[in-house]
Amino acid sequence: MATLTEQLRAEAGARFEAIVYHRFTDELAAGTIDRSVLKTYLVQDHRFVDAFVVLLSSMIAAAPSLADRIPGCQFLALVTGKENTYFERSFDALGVTQAEREGTPDSPPMRDFSQLMRDAAKTGEVGEMLAVLVAAEWSYQCWGERVLAVAVAEPFWCREWVDLHSGDYFGSVVSYLRNLLDKLPLSAAQIAAVRARFLSAIELEVAFFDAAYALERTHF
């Protein structure tokens, strides 16, 4: 019998695959992505790091046991350390000024995704929090692993984003999040809420990639 997370991915279907095979992921791996597209994406993506940290830390606090919390804490350290540093280095290398970082308007997908993360955290329901985390991290792992073999070594702002979302460690994070969700004793109502959060997150991931192109050359 399929696990809950397998059922959720199956239900997301083509929308999940739209993330995995999005043109953004291919262009990033090839190093051919337009700088204006990448700048737009990175500015918006960095905007919801705070909401992501709120969501992940809330899930850690709500997790059933210390053993269930430790891998989440380790991942949180990576997000606030190595991953955040990647953003700062990329902004400097790509010439994104502080004024651009602060003055660029929020894209609707960024605004809605941040709200989804904060709303899930506020529920106190570990299942709903995990649903959003699994959708985000599993879909990114899938595209990261798909392009890893052909990803260029330089520039770093392309290669390192692939590396952050592929490999053994990131795979262990996704397995950890999925396993936590799969083993939760959930009622029918809770499963319905999990499903809604997961599918919403998948739609927003697709929209987030699309928005980087919709805003192309608008602000940079």
Side-chain angles (χ1 to χ4, degrees):
M1 180 178 178
T3 65
L4 176 57
T5 56
E6 288 170 342
Q7 293 174 42
L8 292 170
R9 177 172 176 173
E11 185 165 356
R15 300 308 286 165
F16 193 102
E17 298 305 307
I19 302 167
V20 178
Y21 291 92
H22 199 281
R23 64 179 284 202
F24 179 95
T25 66
D26 289 316
E27 292 173 5
L28 183 78
T32 59
I33 193 164
D34 191 292
R35 284 195 177 197
S36 65
V37 171
L38 186 58
K39 287 178 181 181
T40 296
Y41 170 89
L42 291 177
V43 167
Q44 297 296 328
D45 198 280
H46 193 245
R47 289 267 176 89
F48 61 56
V49 169
D50 184 57
F52 186 87
V53 168
V54 169
L55 175 62
L56 180 56
S57 58
S58 297
M59 186 283 293
I60 292 167
S65 69
L66 177 61
D68 292 325
R69 293 187 181 100
I70 289 174
C73 292
Q74 293 167 338
F75 182 47
L76 182 60
L78 181 143
V79 171
T80 56
K82 184 177 181 180
E83 184 166 320
N84 191 63
T85 300
Y86 160 83
F87 280 108
E88 298 295 342
R89 291 167 52 233
S90 296
F91 289 143
D92 288 343
L94 291 166
V96 181
T97 67
Q98 193 65 33
E100 288 169 331
R101 290 172 60 180
E102 295 174 357
T104 302
D106 293 345
S107 70
M110 190 288 300
R111 182 189 62 235
D112 293 346
F113 212 160
S114 292
Q115 193 61 54
L116 178 68
M117 292 179 187
R118 293 183 187 279
D119 287 347
K122 286 177 183 177
T123 67
E125 291 286 338
V126 68
E128 293 188 44
M129 292 183 256
L130 282 166
V132 178
L133 290 167
V134 168
E137 303 311 299
W138 194 11
S139 62
Y140 263 52
Q141 181 205 20
C142 289
W143 75 251
E145 290 293 341
R146 183 181 70 80
V147 304
L148 180 60
V150 297
V152 295
E154 297 289 345
F156 81 83
W157 53 80
C158 290
R159 178 59 190 235
E160 290 187 21
W161 197 237
V162 174
D163 288 343
L164 281 165
H165 298 99
S166 59
D168 292 342
Y169 174 69
F170 192 64
S172 74
V173 170
V174 173
S175 293
Y176 154 73
L177 295 170
R178 289 184 59 198
N179 289 338
L180 270 185
L181 183 52
D182 285 334
K183 74 179 184 180
L184 285 178
L186 300 173
S187 67
Q190 288 173 318
I191 290 173
V194 163
R195 172 184 172 276
R197 296 288 187 191
F198 183 91
L199 295 177
S200 292
I202 292 299
E203 287 296 335
L204 287 168
E205 287 286 15
V206 177
F208 192 81
F209 275 153
D210 289 345
Y213 293 90
L215 295 175
E216 190 172 0
R217 305 187 189 283
T218 300
H219 303 300
F220 299 106

